[in-house]
Amino acid sequence: STMGWLDKLLGRGKATAGEAMESTGLREEGRAQEGAARAEERAEKHEEMAQEERERAAGERADEERL
């Protein structure tokens, strides 16, 4: 998703800025934001896969009912 990509980019920027400024808080905040964005992307991908499986299963049931 676009927001996930943007959140990862912002998180990486914060982490890099935190390292450059020797700011542990900013660095950790950036790493956390980037990690949360990756987790969100994984969740979205798994939801897409689950939806595809539900649609496949529904199609199979409909085919069986026609027989």
Side-chain angles (χ1 to χ4, degrees), residues 20-32:
M21 296 168 47
E22 297 181 0
S23 171
T24 304
L26 186 58
R27 183 180 67 230
E28 293 305 316
E29 180 182 340
R31 287 180 180 169

Side-chain angles (χ1 to χ4, degrees), residues 9-19 26-27 29-31 33:
L9 181 63
L10 290 172
R12 178 135 333 145
K14 283 181 185 178
T16 301
E19 289 172 10
L26 186 58
R27 183 180 67 230
E29 180 182 340
R31 287 180 180 169
Q33 184 175 358

Side-chain angles (χ1 to χ4, degrees), residues 48-67:
E48 289 171 11
M49 292 168 50
Q51 182 61 34
E52 290 170 4
E53 181 60 23
R54 286 189 291 271
E55 291 170 2
R56 184 197 60 75
E60 285 181 2
R61 281 192 303 276
D63 289 344
E64 289 173 1
E65 291 174 2
R66 282 190 282 248
L67 296 177

Side-chain angles (χ1 to χ4, degrees), residues 3 8 54:
M3 288 306 295
K8 282 196 310 189
R54 286 189 291 271

